[in-house]
Amino acid sequence: MDITGTHFNYYMVCHRKLWLFANNIQMEHSSDLVFEGKLIHETSYQQRSATYEEVAIDGIKVDYFDTKNKVIHEIKKSSKLLDSHAWQVKYYIYVMELNGMEGVTGVLEYPKERKTEEVFLSMPDRERIKELLVEIDKVIHSDKCPGVIHKPKCKKCSYYDFCYSAESEG
Amino acid sequence: MKKTYYLFNPGRLSRKDNTLKFTPVDEEGNELKPRYLPVEHVDQLYVLGSLDANSALYNFLGKNDIAVHFYDYYENYTGSFAPKCKLLSGKMLIAQTQSYLKKSKRLEIAQSFIEGASFNMLKNLKYYDNRGKDLMPVIDSIELLRKKLHSTMDVNELMGIEGNIRKNYYDAFNLIINDHEMGIRTKQPPLNIVNSLLSFGNMMCYSECLRAIQKTQLEPTISFLHEPGERRFSLALDLAEVFKPFLVDRVIFKVLNKKEIQVHDFEEKLNRIVLKEKGKKKFIQAFEKRLEETIKHRSLKRNVSYKHLIKLECYKLQKHLLGMDLYKPFKIYW
């Protein structure tokens, strides 16, 4: 199975989310949060599409690739999970390098917060990504779904109702 | 929140720009003033009258994930237009099939459905017992029957006990409902008002459960309590057991005892008693209102509607089938 940027991102966020997603147990996208994210994506930087390309290779899909300056742009709603977003972009750079593209960098864009973050791939990052790919593969192919992580971020996750629905007696 | 829309009047439904336009027609076929339905508020459409539509409309409905369910002249469900199913999981399907095939696993789930169903029936009885109806004898006999649920050896035996519980429960309807007799349960065709309402209400509950199932990766034809294929989507029948007592029965008690629906809302047709259109509208209104009522959910720690409870039940079942959690049926706790 190709490991996508989403797999990479989810591995950072929650192993259970990764397992469910990879096994096609996805949630119906009816939540306002998901809709908001989609809207931000569609309405921000509209003038860009003419000069930027959407690139898809080896299972990854980069929203905006500035071919001239070799910069990957990734748009997100909130910078709360910055670390996992950065790893997602690092992974994109990594895959592009494997496909023979040198000198690629990335930018994380948070239009709602009017904030951007630059992302670079370092030598230790490359080693870490190789390790992570093995770990991700292990989680995805495990027979058992990882447990609930019980973190504050669970409340905003689309799997919240799935993970937390239960009958408590008494 | 997205809503279910019911189309009783004959007419034409069409796409108008990026929204829905319904043009009713009168008996002579003349077009009346059109109504616009905001597409982003529509969850699904129930077609109870005759509907004229073209493929452009269905493409548009499909893109917006809106299902259309059709019912014939006698309110029997005849079929659906279902938007492209995006939620498929091989892993889920295999887990569900395996749980069906293993006798002990299937029985365990089936027992849970009846446990929840009978618990919720008892809640209804106790509610009316507190309001001056003497239901203690019925409650006692159902409690006694419930004790046997978990020692049943197979689904047939379980269904036998379920039948006895239900008989006791329906007998109590004669005490709960003020001016109408239920007599014995008659379906196909329902022979009196209470039976007619029960059939109509159960059908509504069944459709609602099916819709919830279709929003998950569960396969609606593989069921545990009912035999798969007993009716088209028998998993919806399984789930409906848990929800019928407080979604359907309570609404029936209310509309009859408060005289919101009366004898003149029904008509006799070919040896069956059916709701007139006006009566159907009244019942559906009461039912939809019930679905939108909310409770504070104990494990989610936020308010959820009764309608959403059905979807949560699907999640719990999924988790059970995938071996993450034990399925416990929803029981009314207020």
Side-chain angles (χ1 to χ4, degrees):
Chain A
M1 183 204 285
D2 276 338
I3 290 181
T4 69
T6 312
H7 288 116
F8 225 83
N9 185 340
Y10 286 1
Y11 177 83
M12 299 292 165
V13 176
C14 168
H15 292 187
R16 183 178 171 93
K17 186 172 184 166
L18 171 66
W19 189 93
L20 289 167
F21 175 79
N23 286 293
N24 280 316
I25 316 252
Q26 288 161 36
M27 294 295 108
E28 180 207 15
H29 288 308
S30 60
S31 90
D32 290 347
L33 282 172
V34 174
F35 186 72
E36 195 188 342
K38 204 175 145 217
L39 209 63
I40 289 173
H41 203 273
E42 283 168 2
T43 56
S44 308
Y45 316 116
Q46 275 173 321
Q47 71 286 5
R48 229 177 227 177
S49 44
T51 47
Y52 290 65
E53 277 181 72
E54 190 184 276
V55 178
I57 32 169
D58 287 356
I60 63 157
K61 205 161 145 195
V62 176
D63 298 333
Y64 292 111
F65 185 59
D66 175 354
T67 32
K68 206 172 131 216
N69 302 309
K70 294 191 189 170
V71 183
I72 292 168
H73 293 257
E74 176 71 21
I75 306 166
K76 296 281 184 197
K77 186 157 74 74
S78 135
S79 57
K80 261 197 187 146
L81 300 172
L82 193 106
D83 207 41
S84 60
H85 297 162
W87 276 106
Q88 184 180 348
V89 174
K90 281 179 186 183
Y91 178 61
Y92 289 160
I93 301 173
Y94 176 83
V95 173
M96 288 188 130
E97 279 183 359
L98 285 186
N99 282 276
M101 249 176 290
E102 298 288 327
V104 179
T105 60
V107 180
L108 278 166
E109 298 176 318
Y110 301 97
K112 225 178 120 189
E113 301 172 3
R114 302 182 183 282
K115 194 166 131 183
T116 60
E117 288 283 334
E118 290 194 1
V119 181
F120 302 98
L121 186 70
S122 68
M123 224 32 228
D125 287 345
R126 287 187 188 94
E127 290 311 307
R128 181 75 187 121
I129 285 177
K130 277 184 206 155
E131 288 167 25
L132 285 171
L133 285 173
V134 177
E135 286 170 38
I136 290 171
D137 198 69
K138 227 162 86 189
V139 174
I140 291 176
H141 292 106
S142 133
D143 275 345
K144 249 187 121 48
C145 175
V148 184
I149 57 172
H150 296 291
K151 290 276 167 62
K153 65 184 166 192
C154 291
K155 283 217 153 171
K156 295 216 166 161
C157 175
S158 62
Y159 287 97
Y160 178 76
D161 282 10
F162 181 87
C163 290
Y164 287 84
S165 56
E167 298 305 319
S168 37
E169 303 284 336
Chain B
M1 199 167 81
K2 289 190 173 198
K3 286 205 308 217
T4 303
Y5 282 78
Y6 298 85
L7 303 174
F8 285 99
N9 299 324
R12 178 170 184 81
L13 189 67
S14 54
R15 173 180 183 170
K16 172 81 174 126
D17 300 326
N18 266 327
T19 199
L20 296 172
K21 178 183 170 188
F22 183 69
T23 319
V25 289
D26 64 14
E27 276 155 25
E28 279 91 50
N30 301 314
E31 290 195 351
L32 306 169
K33 200 169 163 282
R35 265 187 66 201
Y36 292 89
L37 316 175
V39 70
E40 61 270 24
H41 292 167
V42 184
D43 179 33
Q44 53 185 337
L45 295 164
Y46 280 42
V47 181
L48 295 117
S50 78
L51 183 78
D52 214 14
N54 61 16
S55 59
L57 173 86
Y58 286 107
N59 283 328
F60 183 59
L61 292 174
K63 285 212 175 74
N64 284 284
D65 201 28
I66 297 169
V68 190
H69 307 289
F70 299 96
Y71 296 86
D72 71 7
Y73 186 70
Y74 296 107
E75 297 149 17
N76 297 312
Y77 172 76
T78 48
S80 299
F81 162 75
K84 188 173 93 182
C85 187
K86 284 174 243 156
L87 302 166
L88 292 170
S89 165
K91 192 143 199 143
M92 190 66 244
L93 180 62
I94 288 167
Q96 191 179 344
T97 314
Q98 280 174 336
S99 294
Y100 165 76
L101 288 173
K102 189 127 199 286
K103 205 180 149 196
S104 61
K105 283 191 174 180
R106 178 185 170 187
L107 184 64
E108 186 192 1
I109 300 168
Q111 284 168 337
S112 294
F113 285 136
I114 298 298
E115 189 202 323
S118 56
F119 184 92
N120 293 335
M121 287 181 213
L122 281 173
K123 272 281 177 182
N124 280 354
L125 298 176
K126 284 173 186 164
Y127 175 90
Y128 282 97
D129 189 65
N130 278 335
R131 274 156 188 77
K133 316 264 183 184
D134 182 25
L135 298 169
M136 258 354 256
V138 189
I139 293 172
D140 287 341
S141 37
I142 293 184
E143 299 264 26
L144 221 64
L145 286 164
R146 281 191 85 223
K147 290 204 175 82
K148 296 182 192 162
L149 285 181
H150 287 280
S151 54
T152 46
M153 301 301 284
D154 59 41
V155 173
N156 274 337
E157 193 189 345
L158 178 69
M159 279 302 232
I161 294 178
E162 191 263 350
N164 286 334
I165 291 177
R166 205 160 275 283
K167 194 185 166 301
N168 275 285
Y169 179 62
Y170 283 146
D171 281 346
F173 276 35
N174 291 325
L175 293 169
I176 295 171
I177 300 169
N178 291 334
D179 301 321
H180 305 279
E181 276 291 309
M182 152 122 187
I184 51 158
R185 173 83 177 111
T186 49
K187 325 180 229 192
Q188 298 167 354
L191 295 175
N192 62 31
I193 286 174
V194 182
N195 275 296
S196 173
L197 273 180
L198 256 178
S199 294
F200 189 67
N202 288 344
M203 183 272 287
M204 297 286 304
C205 184
Y206 165 72
S207 310
E208 207 55 52
C209 290
L210 178 60
R211 184 64 178 151
I213 292 168
Q214 284 171 338
K215 286 176 177 176
T216 68
Q217 290 78 16
L218 290 168
E219 169 53 50
T221 56
I222 301 175
S223 52
F224 303 94
L225 177 64
H226 296 83
E227 274 309 319
E230 188 172 306
R231 259 185 275 167
R232 291 153 301 257
F233 297 122
S234 37
L235 186 62
L237 295 174
D238 283 10
L239 271 190
E241 292 295 328
V242 178
F243 292 99
K244 270 164 13 185
F246 66 101
L247 289 183
V248 180
D249 303 344
R250 281 295 287 275
V251 171
I252 292 177
F253 301 154
K254 186 180 147 244
V255 295
L256 288 180
N257 283 352
K258 295 205 164 160
K259 300 195 193 311
E260 288 168 17
I261 291 182
Q262 290 174 303
V263 182
H264 59 76
D265 287 311
F266 296 85
E267 58 189 328
E268 197 172 344
K269 260 185 195 166
L270 287 168
N271 191 31
R272 64 171 68 205
I273 307 287
V274 292
L275 275 162
K276 284 187 200 161
E277 191 180 309
K278 224 173 132 204
K280 271 186 219 166
K281 278 185 186 165
K282 284 188 211 166
F283 183 83
I284 287 172
Q285 225 163 32
F287 183 73
E288 283 288 321
K289 215 174 124 199
R290 185 78 175 159
L291 286 177
E292 280 169 29
E293 272 178 49
T294 58
I295 53 144
K296 176 103 177 169
H297 195 280
R298 289 191 296 190
S299 69
L300 293 178
K301 298 192 174 29
R302 59 178 174 79
N303 287 329
V304 301
S305 64
Y306 285 6
K307 185 178 179 164
H308 192 62
L309 284 177
I310 304 177
K311 207 159 120 187
L312 295 178
E313 207 66 8
C314 296
Y315 292 160
K316 286 181 338 197
L317 190 58
Q318 283 186 301
K319 287 194 281 187
H320 178 98
L321 298 172
L322 290 166
M324 297 179 198
D325 232 338
L326 274 184
Y327 171 70
K328 282 190 192 150
F330 176 77
K331 292 178 183 171
I332 309 174
Y333 51 80
W334 55 91

